[in-house]
């Protein structure tokens, strides 16, 4: 059977690096073995879900290259959840509960004060039909809990190895709220069954859920998918990233100028034994992906690494790929120019500043006017490919300047900056009159 995975975001905010890593690992796992990737919008919460968030999720995923093969909205599938709930009610797995939130809260406090775990005591399971009728007559609407078997649920986790959850230590999960809202737990299982998901890949924070959901799969008589729970992301200093995730939105990173392949290379390789290097393509990233490379230790999300990968992505970007983007910025100065400046870029947009070295305007920095004047006199009439070595050779012979003392004043005069592209390669691209003007101290 071919692999089929799903990414199931709730459309209640922006996609951040944490969700995207989950999406990415699902995509890489599927594509690495010719499988398919499902986008499932978990929008059962009609109040908190927004169309805007849903649209943005699609925009972000497409931009990152995480195209989906199938797409669903949970909000269009309530009939399926009703049918599953009916089945679970009929088999006694789903039972009505009448406690109010205040009553449950009080009971938990009593349990805790007695040193007992705050697990739901199943009081509603023992209600007689008369008692239930009395509650209903009072106007109480039941919420519905799934009756856990209370056992050690185990599975072979692709990322964690042998995994176990003791459902005896958990409260029976509420699947349907008193107002009829289906919480995440049941729709997720129903969809995973209907959509024939072969592997559920998500963050480690879902391990406990998995214990309950495996029991629901069993209660619905379904074939069990495989599971993988990934270690969570931590920051560069090793601290949990969960609180900061909200500020690490993909749409903001796009606006900041990050390359999608830098983001996917970073998120696809952290927490694995792979070196943190830029991938040539998503295809290559998928072919190289394996859960066997993923350790149990958390994955370190480090902006400095991401920045380095972004620069790498630009260093290897072929001219054909850069060309339309250069044209859009109005700085397509040809393939030679691109090849000269790309090692100097941290972000693509910086190419605008480098194009000014060729096209102007540059405000020269001249600390020694006499030196600049001497250099100007020696500037060859013909600006050929070897102009830099010919010219600096002549300036050296005339002034005695050498090394940094020779090159730096010329770089500052011609580019206005202490750092930048290889002068030997960029100077031949600058029109002679512009070189002359800059050596005279004029902005040109
Ligand atoms: N909507 C859930 C979440 O974002 C999906 C979890 C899952 O993958 O099952 O946490």
């Amino acid at each position: 059977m071919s692999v089929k995975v799903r990414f199931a975001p709730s459309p209640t905010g922006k996609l951040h690096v944490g969700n995207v890593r989950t999406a990415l690992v699902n995509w890489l796992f599927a594509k690495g073995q010719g499988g398919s990737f499902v986008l499932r919008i978990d929008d059962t919460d009609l109040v908190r879900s927004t169309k805007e968030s849903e649209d943005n999720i699609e925009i972000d995923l497409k931009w990152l290259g995480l195209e989906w093969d199938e797409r669903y909205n949970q909000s269009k599938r309530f009939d399926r959840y009703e049918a599953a709930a009916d089945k679970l009610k009929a088999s006694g797995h789903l039972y009505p509960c009448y406690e109010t939130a205040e009553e449950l809260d009080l009971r938990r406090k009593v349990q805790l004060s007695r040193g007992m775990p705050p697990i739901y005591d199943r009081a509603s399971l023992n209600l007689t039909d008369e008692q239930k009728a009395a509650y209903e007559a009072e106007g109480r609407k039941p919420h519905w809990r799934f009756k856990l078997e209370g056992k050690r649920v185990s599975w072979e986790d692709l990322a964690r190895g042998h995994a176990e959850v003791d459902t005896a230590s958990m409260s029976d999960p509420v699947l349907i709220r008193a107002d009829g809202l289906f919480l995440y737990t049941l729709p997720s299982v129903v969809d995973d069954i209907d959509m024939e998901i072969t592997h559920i890949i998500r963050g480690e924070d879902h391990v406990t859920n998995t214990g309950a959901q495996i029991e629901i799969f069993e209660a619905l008589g379904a074939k069990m998918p495989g599971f993988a729970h990934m270690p969570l992301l931590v920051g560069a200093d090793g601290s949990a990233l969960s609180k900061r995730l909200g500020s690490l939105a993909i749409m903001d990173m796009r606006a900041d100028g990050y390359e999608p392949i830098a983001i996917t290379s970073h998120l696809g390789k952290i927490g694995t034994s792979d070196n943190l290097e830029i991938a040539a393509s998503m295809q290559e990233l998928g072919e190289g992906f394996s859960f066997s490379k993923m350790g149990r230790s958390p994955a370190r999300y480090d902006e400095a690494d991401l920045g380095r990968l972004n620069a790498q992505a630009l260093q290897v970007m072929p001219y054909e790929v850069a060309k339309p983007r250069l044209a859009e910025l109005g700085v397509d100065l040809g393939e030679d120019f691109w090849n000269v400046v790309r090692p100097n870029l941290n972000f693509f947009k910086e190419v605008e500043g480098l194009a000014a070295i060729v096209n102007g305007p540059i405000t020269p920095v001249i600390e020694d006017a006499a030196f600049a004047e001497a250099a100007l006199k020696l500037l060859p009439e013909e600006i050929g490919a070897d102009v830099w070595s010919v010219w600096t050779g002549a300036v050296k012979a005339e002034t005695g300047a050498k090394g940094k003392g020779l090159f730096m004043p010329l770089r500052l005069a011609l580019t206005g900056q202490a750092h930048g592209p290889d002068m030997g390669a960029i100077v031949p691209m600058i029109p002679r009159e512009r070189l002359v003007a800059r050596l005279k101290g004029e902005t040109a």
Side-chain angles (χ1 to χ4, degrees):
M1 181 148 77
S2 75
V3 163
K4 191 171 183 188
V5 299
R6 86 297 196 279
F7 173 52
S10 306
T12 54
K14 298 175 181 177
L15 273 194
H16 52 64
V17 294
N19 342 98
V20 163
R21 175 162 171 264
T22 302
L24 174 68
V25 169
N26 271 285
W27 193 94
L28 295 175
F29 177 72
K31 297 297 159 175
Q33 32 201 324
S36 57
F37 175 73
V38 172
L39 171 60
R40 189 178 78 212
I41 303 292
D42 275 9
D43 56 355
T44 49
D45 187 338
L46 301 172
V47 176
R48 293 183 59 228
S49 300
T50 68
K51 178 81 173 77
E52 185 194 2
S53 167
E54 185 175 331
D55 291 345
N56 284 332
I57 287 170
E58 293 199 346
I59 292 169
D60 287 348
L61 291 179
K62 281 186 187 158
W63 178 70
L64 290 165
L66 301 173
E67 298 276 351
W68 49 92
D69 303 294
E70 291 170 35
R71 188 198 177 291
Y72 303 92
N73 279 74
Q74 289 197 323
S75 58
K76 302 224 168 75
R77 298 176 41 80
F78 285 119
D79 55 334
R80 297 296 303 148
Y81 313 144
E82 296 287 358
D86 287 347
K87 194 169 164 187
L88 293 175
K89 286 176 190 172
S91 60
H93 284 97
L94 198 55
Y95 63 96
C97 299
Y98 292 88
E99 292 89 350
T100 63
E102 293 75 34
E103 285 164 355
L104 290 171
D105 201 41
L106 190 65
R107 252 184 244 174
R108 269 194 296 269
K109 283 189 181 131
V110 171
Q111 285 170 314
L112 287 170
S113 72
R114 292 185 186 150
M116 289 156 66
I119 298 173
Y120 175 60
D121 62 7
R122 292 186 167 162
S124 280
L125 193 56
N126 303 317
L127 293 175
T128 61
D129 286 346
E130 290 74 39
Q131 287 170 311
K132 289 182 201 169
Y135 276 132
E136 303 262 352
E138 250 179 52
R140 289 203 196 194
K141 291 253 177 301
H143 55 277
W144 296 80
R145 288 188 191 259
F146 179 80
K147 187 162 169 276
L148 292 168
E149 284 184 42
K151 61 177 184 184
R152 285 198 172 278
V153 174
S154 67
W155 69 94
E156 295 311 311
D157 196 288
L158 281 172
R160 297 164 71 80
H162 184 75
E164 265 186 20
V165 169
D166 184 0
T167 60
S169 68
M170 293 161 56
S171 294
D172 288 340
V174 175
L175 300 191
I176 309 172
R177 283 197 332 202
D179 63 2
L181 184 90
F182 281 93
L183 293 171
Y184 147 80
T185 313
L186 179 63
S188 178
V189 174
V190 171
D191 287 350
D192 290 337
I193 297 170
D194 282 0
M195 294 161 197
E196 299 180 320
I197 299 301
T198 60
H199 297 80
I200 296 177
I201 303 168
R202 55 191 177 187
E204 198 168 71
D205 49 330
H206 282 287
V207 167
T208 312
N209 270 341
T210 296
Q213 288 184 322
I214 284 181
E215 287 202 14
I216 300 175
F217 273 101
E218 286 168 351
L220 290 171
K223 186 167 179 291
M224 202 61 63
F227 287 93
H229 294 87
M230 296 179 286
L232 299 181
L233 293 182
V234 296
D237 59 357
S239 65
L241 205 61
S242 45
K243 297 231 166 60
R244 270 184 61 211
L245 282 174
S247 64
L248 296 170
I250 297 300
M251 64 163 78
D252 297 339
M253 293 169 78
R254 180 165 63 243
D256 287 345
Y258 283 102
E259 300 296 317
I261 194 72
I263 298 175
T264 51
S265 296
H266 188 224
L267 293 177
K269 291 185 178 184
I270 48 177
T272 76
S273 54
D274 278 341
N275 288 335
L276 220 45
E277 300 298 341
I278 199 78
S281 63
M282 289 293 285
Q283 175 82 7
E284 184 198 283
L285 206 54
E287 282 159 11
F289 178 83
S290 162
F291 277 110
S292 65
K293 294 180 182 173
M294 201 176 270
R296 289 286 293 260
S297 49
R300 202 172 287 263
Y301 177 82
D302 185 340
E303 266 118 352
D305 286 331
L306 176 63
R308 186 172 58 75
L309 290 174
N310 206 68
Q312 265 187 23
L314 297 169
Q315 268 162 38
V316 299
M317 185 181 283
Y319 176 63
E320 312 82 74
V321 176
K323 189 175 163 58
R325 293 172 64 182
L326 292 168
E328 203 175 312
L329 293 175
V331 292
D332 182 6
L333 306 184
E335 183 161 4
D336 290 346
F337 168 76
W338 173 245
N339 289 340
V340 170
V341 297
R342 62 184 182 171
N344 294 90
L345 302 173
N346 291 305
F347 289 97
F348 192 89
K349 228 181 140 24
E350 292 166 0
V351 73
E352 281 182 306
L354 297 174
I357 297 174
V358 176
N359 281 348
I362 289 289
T363 303
V365 175
I366 294 180
E367 281 158 1
D368 180 346
F371 180 80
E373 204 185 319
L376 173 55
K377 288 207 182 95
L378 297 163
L379 186 67
E381 280 309 314
E382 281 297 317
I383 305 296
D386 60 352
V387 63
W388 180 249
S389 62
V390 171
W391 182 39
T392 53
V395 176
K396 181 179 177 182
E398 172 80 17
T399 65
K402 54 179 195 281
K404 210 176 160 205
L406 169 65
F407 301 116
M408 191 52 82
L410 296 177
R411 178 183 281 284
L412 284 169
L414 297 180
T415 71
Q417 304 284 334
H419 302 282
D422 174 7
M423 293 298 278
I426 196 107
V427 170
M429 297 179 190
I430 307 173
R432 191 173 191 282
E433 63 275 15
R434 208 163 267 147
L435 295 172
V436 170
R438 289 177 193 168
L439 288 166
K440 287 182 183 163
E442 295 161 14
T443 295

